[in-house]
Amino acid sequence: MAERAGVTLTGSERLPGLVGLALRENRKRAHLLVSTVLGKHVPQRPAVVHGAGLELGRLVRELLDPLGGGSVDRAVVLGYAETATGLGHSVADGLDAPYLHSTRRPVPGLTPVGGFEEEHSHATSHLLLPADPRLLAGDGPLVLVDDEFSTGTTVLNTIRELHANHPRDHYVVVALVDLRGPADRRRLVDTAAELGVRLDLVALADGGVELPADVLDRAERLIAEAGPAPEPPTAPAAPLVRTDLDWPAGLPDGGRHGFTREHRARLEAALPALAEQLAAAVDPGATGGSADADADRSLVLVLGSEELMYAPLRLAGALAERLPGGADRVRFSTTTRSPVLAVDDPGYAIRTRLAFPAHDDPADDSSRERYAYNVAPGTDPARRFGTVVLVVDDTADTAALHEGERALLGQLRRVTDRVVLAVLPSHRPTAPVGPSAPAAPARPLYGPEFSSYRADEVAWLLKDLTGVDLEAPTEEREEAVQSGGAHYAESLPVEYQPSPEYQELFHQALRVSARRIALAVGTVAETLLRERGPGLVLASLARAGTPVGILIRRWLAAGHGLDAPHYAVSIVRGRGIDPVALRYLDAHHRAGDVVFVDGWTGKGAITRELAEALTGTGFDPDLAVLADPGRCVRTFGTRDDFLIPSACLNSTVSGLVSRTVLRSDLIGPDDFHGAKHYTELAGADVSGAFLDTVADHFADVRAEALAAAERFLAPEHADERAPDWAGWAAVERISAEYGIDSVNLVKPGVGETTRVMLRRVPWRVLARRGAGADLDHVRLLAAQRGVPVEEVDDLPYSCVGLIHPRYTRGATGASGTAVLTKES
């Protein structure tokens, strides 16, 4: 570059270790700074790539810490597509801040909250597509991350665009290297003064690029002299292995639509298991042949895809920790849109180039070539990768990736001994909530017109479907659900009205457990009040959570004089929480004040569903329950598995309201989920009696509840509140032991077992040996329905209900004859 193009790099001592130079095939800008630590054009150890971003993040933290006022906690990081998406995400890791990166991939139905131009780039338009538009609307510092800071034009475009809509006082610009000239430095200072903001810059090294006046002409001549990049040598196609990673459901694959602190924690927890899966695909050890043995000792490249940099980077880092000698074997880089001249010379940054057609159906130019640099070994066999792990999202897993001589997979198979394809689910955010979302036209329902509860007890964010014929026989519903012909929320079970003997069991259980329930209510209420403050808004999960929400509201009124708003909202497994209800809550309350409430946890399926549904919405997904035997939430009254009597009955203990319904012919895009009001069951209604009996014990348990909440909130007891998901592990074990294909058919805990007996087709009940009166009603229901009760040891719950695993009417098993049962 110095001899032929006259381009030289000057600056601080660290600069040559961070960047090299190459020629772009771009008339707008001739030179390309090729970072050795970015993981884009030059394969690098993943720990080095992630470490560079972490170092920058720590430098930003040191800058913000002295400012006080929660500056660090309120910071948001914005990275630039495509080159700096992984770097920006790593900076956010070092700062432990929420993250968003710009994108060049539009998403149907998602309206950009901003955009800007990058003049020197070959692909100039950037879009900002956060799932929650409020991510960029805060008043904390905005940290903008790019790989290099050469002129400042892109950053100034961004700041002006965002400041016009959401002004703030402080911006921090972060880059690996700062190569601005004096005029550009003045321009940044002038812009900060014009906008009246503080603007800081953080970089690992600074310097400058010296360019001759005719640099564009020189570059064009050199590119013409070099001719087309040489094709990789013809070779037999290497094996292609596809691995389906168990990527956590609902976890974004990057920061295109926002990445929160909660997402970061989920990813860190999942990485070891993901690395284990990748390691099995990279070093299978199955054939025992010499080629595989060589591959087991060879270099491994994890190759990301354009904007998809961070997830592959973290997978590469976890793989390096898992593989023998991985720290020296594993490298990371990504494909790119940038056309760069390749020259196979040790003194040049871009040695080899693979060019291939775009395979992610980009809206800007579907015919444009994409590139993978320094992946082919060229003339240096020591640079050959024995295995290439290509990581793409499902949007990019198209025919163009697989088919044709020039397809990326085909070319990779010619330059390595083994190709592993790992496809991640592209995060597809739901319709946004917040001020930018359209107002929901639906209005709440109140008793006594809808439900038997008083109007001040709860506002139902539901659509009244009373009078619509929705009930179907239990056996018919079970067959339809298990065959995949229907979703359980598309119909309602016939309300099973227990016998007088069973109803007496309910009253007996209520008398015995009312004080215990009151203590759990008080413990949860006092904990929430201390953590969230007096502006609490309760959102109970209809319908089982609604009596609990009313009880918490009564506690806050009796003990603190608070009139907490309380809403009942619908959540449906596999479909998520009602988005119209969320929009209503967001329009009428501050999202951070809303607390979601339920009665108890089983294995934690609804806990996971809620967390996934609230991703990017601004609502806190921390579910509060009275009993947490599944050990999957941090706000609970107890973790004992005991009978909450409201689980004993259906609508007659839940305000005469059905379970919720979600069906496209009944629920429009601006409708709440639906439910029915069973006025005909008023004679059997014990909803008010349940609430009053428990509330009568509030004064008696107040001191105990206050003490329990103080204990929960003490730092030395923080570990006791942390979920460990022991219940989910037990369900998986039971599912395997009893030959049940789906964990959804295993319902742990007294409450969930009761529901199985009342609403589903039960197969058997597992009861912990020695369980006492809490299971009297379960045993009675089992006897009435002819369901065997099996006593077992080592059960973390009092009981577990098993839904018939292969139910069809007239047949007991998939073969039409029998269901496999546990060997005695």
Side-chain angles (χ1 to χ4, degrees), residues 235-423:
L240 172 63
V241 178
R242 185 184 182 106
T243 181
D244 294 320
L245 299 181
D246 293 330
W247 188 260
L251 178 65
D253 53 313
R256 180 180 288 115
H257 305 299
F259 199 92
T260 66
R261 293 182 177 94
E262 291 76 15
H263 294 147
R264 183 172 293 117
R266 289 187 65 198
L267 177 61
E268 296 295 340
L271 278 173
L274 294 170
E276 192 75 26
Q277 290 179 276
L278 267 188
V282 170
D283 283 348
T287 64
S290 59
D292 281 332
D294 291 340
D296 287 348
R297 295 191 296 269
S298 66
L299 292 175
V300 176
L301 174 67
V302 177
L303 183 65
S305 178
E306 296 191 41
E307 294 177 12
L308 185 63
M309 293 186 68
Y310 180 75
L313 168 62
R314 300 306 310 279
L315 289 171
L319 181 64
E321 295 177 358
R322 170 63 182 78
L323 287 179
D328 295 321
R329 292 175 57 195
V330 178
R331 302 289 186 273
F332 166 75
S333 66
T334 58
T335 65
T336 176
R337 296 179 173 216
S338 301
V340 186
L341 177 68
V343 179
D344 196 0
D345 186 287
Y348 187 71
I350 302 296
R351 300 282 297 274
T352 63
R353 179 174 87 169
L354 299 177
F356 53 91
H359 53 86
D360 60 347
D361 296 327
D364 52 354
D365 186 357
S366 60
S367 64
R368 183 179 293 277
E369 281 190 329
R370 303 294 190 255
Y371 309 95
Y373 295 111
N374 295 316
V375 176
T379 57
D380 184 358
R383 298 172 59 249
R384 181 179 179 85
F385 293 104
T387 301
V388 174
V389 179
L390 176 63
V391 183
V392 301
D393 61 15
D394 53 18
T395 302
D397 185 25
T398 61
L401 176 66
H402 295 261
E403 300 171 2
E405 294 182 358
R406 297 186 62 246
L408 176 57
L409 280 175
Q411 295 206 55
L412 292 176
R413 296 175 70 185
R414 292 164 60 188
V415 299
T416 187
D417 300 318
R418 184 181 183 84
V419 176
V420 175
L421 175 64
V423 181

Side-chain angles (χ1 to χ4, degrees), residues 333-663:
S333 66
T334 58
T335 65
T336 176
R337 296 179 173 216
S338 301
V340 186
L341 177 68
V343 179
D344 196 0
D345 186 287
Y348 187 71
I350 302 296
R351 300 282 297 274
T352 63
R353 179 174 87 169
L354 299 177
F356 53 91
H359 53 86
D360 60 347
D361 296 327
D364 52 354
D365 186 357
S366 60
S367 64
R368 183 179 293 277
E369 281 190 329
R370 303 294 190 255
Y371 309 95
Y373 295 111
N374 295 316
V375 176
T379 57
D380 184 358
R383 298 172 59 249
R384 181 179 179 85
F385 293 104
T387 301
V388 174
V389 179
L390 176 63
V391 183
V392 301
D393 61 15
D394 53 18
T395 302
D397 185 25
T398 61
L401 176 66
H402 295 261
E403 300 171 2
E405 294 182 358
R406 297 186 62 246
L408 176 57
L409 280 175
Q411 295 206 55
L412 292 176
R413 296 175 70 185
R414 292 164 60 188
V415 299
T416 187
D417 300 318
R418 184 181 183 84
V419 176
V420 175
L421 175 64
V423 181
L424 305 182
S426 178
H427 183 53
R428 295 169 173 85
T430 55
V433 299
S436 64
R443 294 183 177 182
L445 301 171
Y446 298 90
E449 288 77 21
F450 186 85
S451 89
S452 60
Y453 293 135
R454 298 195 315 262
D456 63 327
E457 299 266 49
V458 59
W460 299 87
L461 299 186
L462 295 173
K463 180 179 181 178
D464 190 356
L465 299 179
T466 303
V468 180
D469 187 10
L470 293 168
E471 288 78 10
T474 301
E475 292 79 8
E476 181 179 312
R477 293 182 75 248
E478 196 67 40
E479 180 180 0
V481 170
Q482 292 200 29
S483 68
H487 190 278
Y488 79 91
E490 294 176 351
S491 63
L492 292 172
V494 177
E495 286 275 334
Y496 175 67
Q497 293 306 305
S499 66
E501 181 184 8
Y502 179 85
Q503 292 189 50
E504 177 54 32
L505 264 181
F506 162 80
H507 290 288
Q508 178 183 335
L510 178 58
R511 289 190 293 270
V512 170
S513 62
R515 187 184 188 281
R516 192 176 185 184
I517 298 168
L519 176 57
V521 169
T523 301
V524 171
E526 295 295 335
T527 302
L528 290 174
L529 187 60
R530 285 157 176 74
E531 287 193 323
R532 300 290 192 92
L536 282 172
V537 177
L538 302 171
S540 59
L541 301 184
R543 66 184 170 181
T546 303
V548 177
I550 294 175
L551 286 169
I552 293 175
R553 184 181 182 280
R554 286 190 179 187
W555 178 283
L556 294 172
H560 301 277
L562 297 177
D563 187 16
H566 174 216
Y567 301 88
V569 301
S570 169
I571 187 169
V572 176
R573 195 183 71 238
R575 304 286 176 84
I577 200 164
D578 185 347
V580 180
L582 283 187
R583 290 204 293 268
Y584 183 94
L585 290 172
D586 191 78
H588 291 80
H589 303 280
R590 195 175 72 87
D593 291 336
V594 177
V595 177
F596 292 90
V597 175
D598 208 353
W600 59 87
T601 65
K603 56 181 172 288
I606 288 298
T607 307
R608 294 188 177 192
E609 188 82 39
L610 182 67
E612 180 178 346
L614 295 181
T615 297
T617 65
F619 290 94
D620 190 336
D622 188 11
L623 183 65
V625 300
L626 295 189
D628 179 34
R631 302 183 67 86
C632 55
V633 301
R634 60 183 298 275
T635 303
F636 53 87
T638 178
R639 278 186 166 148
D640 292 339
D641 184 18
F642 75 104
L643 174 62
I644 298 176
S646 59
C648 288
L649 302 172
N650 285 317
S651 65
T652 53
V653 78
S654 301
L656 299 181
V657 173
S658 75
R659 65 176 308 155
T660 58
V661 174
L662 180 57
R663 211 169 76 188

Side-chain angles (χ1 to χ4, degrees), residues 40-188:
K40 176 56 73 170
H41 303 87
V42 178
Q44 179 58 275
R45 290 175 173 83
V48 173
V49 177
H50 194 220
L54 293 177
E55 180 181 358
L56 285 167
R58 288 191 291 268
L59 292 174
V60 175
R61 176 175 287 277
E62 292 172 7
L63 172 72
L64 297 180
D65 267 335
L67 301 179
S71 293
V72 173
D73 293 334
R74 293 184 292 118
V76 175
V77 179
L78 174 64
Y80 287 95
E82 64 174 91
T83 307
T85 59
L87 176 65
H89 210 142
S90 300
V91 171
D93 285 351
L95 193 56
D96 191 24
Y99 178 63
L100 176 75
H101 70 70
S102 65
T103 180
R104 295 189 177 107
R105 182 195 288 179
V107 177
L110 203 60
T111 303
V113 301
F116 51 90
E117 297 296 315
E118 186 178 8
E119 279 84 351
H120 68 261
S121 176
H122 54 278
T124 60
S125 296
H126 290 245
L127 301 173
L128 296 176
L129 296 174
D132 181 359
R134 293 165 298 182
L135 182 65
L136 295 175
D139 59 357
L142 182 63
V143 181
L144 303 100
V145 182
D146 210 348
D147 58 319
E148 61 178 85
F149 198 40
S150 53
T151 67
T153 300
T154 301
V155 168
L156 291 181
N157 284 342
T158 311
I159 292 175
R160 290 183 184 278
E161 169 82 20
L162 296 178
H163 197 77
N165 296 317
H166 302 293
R168 63 184 73 223
D169 297 330
H170 194 184
Y171 296 88
V172 182
V173 179
V174 178
L176 290 169
V177 294
D178 176 12
L179 300 176
R180 293 173 299 155
D184 292 322
R185 292 175 185 268
R186 285 194 300 272
R187 188 156 58 102
L188 202 67

